[in-house]
Amino acid sequence: MTLAISPLRPDETEAAVALWEACGLTRPWNDPRADIALALSRPSSTILAGRIDSKLVATAMTGSDGHRGWVYYLAVDPTAQRKGYGAAMMHAAAAWLREIGAPKLHVMIRSENLGVAAFYARLGYVKSDTITMATRL
Ligand SMILES: CC(C)(COP(=O)(O)OP(=O)(O)OC[C@H]1O[C@@H](n2cnc3c(N)ncnc32)[C@H](O)[C@@H]1OP(=O)(O)O)[C@@H](O)C(=O)NCCC(=O)NCCS
């Protein structure tokens, strides 16, 4: 079935949060609803939604920090995985970033989720020799 991809609507927030929970992407220190509201409120970011028959089955939050593009919350419903939807979401995110002039796309993989690197490698992504560090603002 063809995945229809367009920006997430605010009324799909709860469906997106449920999808992220099902995919193990939520963490107690992040507020997914606030993350959705922020990403949808700026011209430099968006959340792409993939739907089958109007039902949300995939997401990819994407945006540019002014230098690089990033993808977060890449999720495909566990019952719909391995059908090419994850790849389709990453292609759509790359196209969105190209459109706003971002020259490069990075993804961060949590250390407990390193197995997913094989998915990105399948799409042609190569390991970047960096570590990320962070502070709360
Ligand atoms: C990662 C994820 C988005 C992949 O979605 P998907 O729809 O199953 O992926 P696709 O079907 O588009 O797979 C594309 C290719 O990658 C391969 N692939 C997918 N997941 C893989 C995995 N975990 N390990 C190895 N290869 C994988 C597929 O076999 C396919 O290869 P092919 O082109 O040879 O057929 C999905 O597994 C998911 O939502 N995981 C939980 C959330 C997560 O970890 N997100 C990423 C955070 S960094």
Side-chain angles (χ1 to χ4, degrees), residues 5 9-10 16 25 29 36-38 52 60-61 63 67 70 72 78 80 87 90 95 118 122 126 135:
I5 303 175
R9 301 186 311 265
L25 293 178
W29 54 88
I36 290 170
L38 185 62
I52 299 285
M61 177 188 285
H67 179 54
W70 293 88
Y72 301 92
M90 288 305 294
R122 194 71 196 86
V126 292
T135 188

Side-chain angles (χ1 to χ4, degrees), residues 64-70 101-106:
S64 171
D65 58 19
H67 179 54
R68 296 185 171 112
W70 293 88
K104 202 173 174 195
L105 167 50
H106 283 240

Side-chain angles (χ1 to χ4, degrees), residues 68-97:
R68 296 185 171 112
W70 293 88
V71 165
Y72 301 92
Y73 289 116
L74 174 70
V76 173
D77 188 300
T79 65
Q81 291 179 2
R82 302 290 181 128
K83 296 173 190 280
Y85 298 158
M89 296 306 291
M90 288 305 294
H91 290 313
W96 192 91
L97 287 167

Side-chain angles (χ1 to χ4, degrees), residues 18 27 54 61 69 74 87 92-93 97 99 102 109 115 131:
R27 292 294 181 276
S54 304
M61 177 188 285
L74 174 70
L97 287 167
E99 196 64 31
I109 300 175
I131 62 163

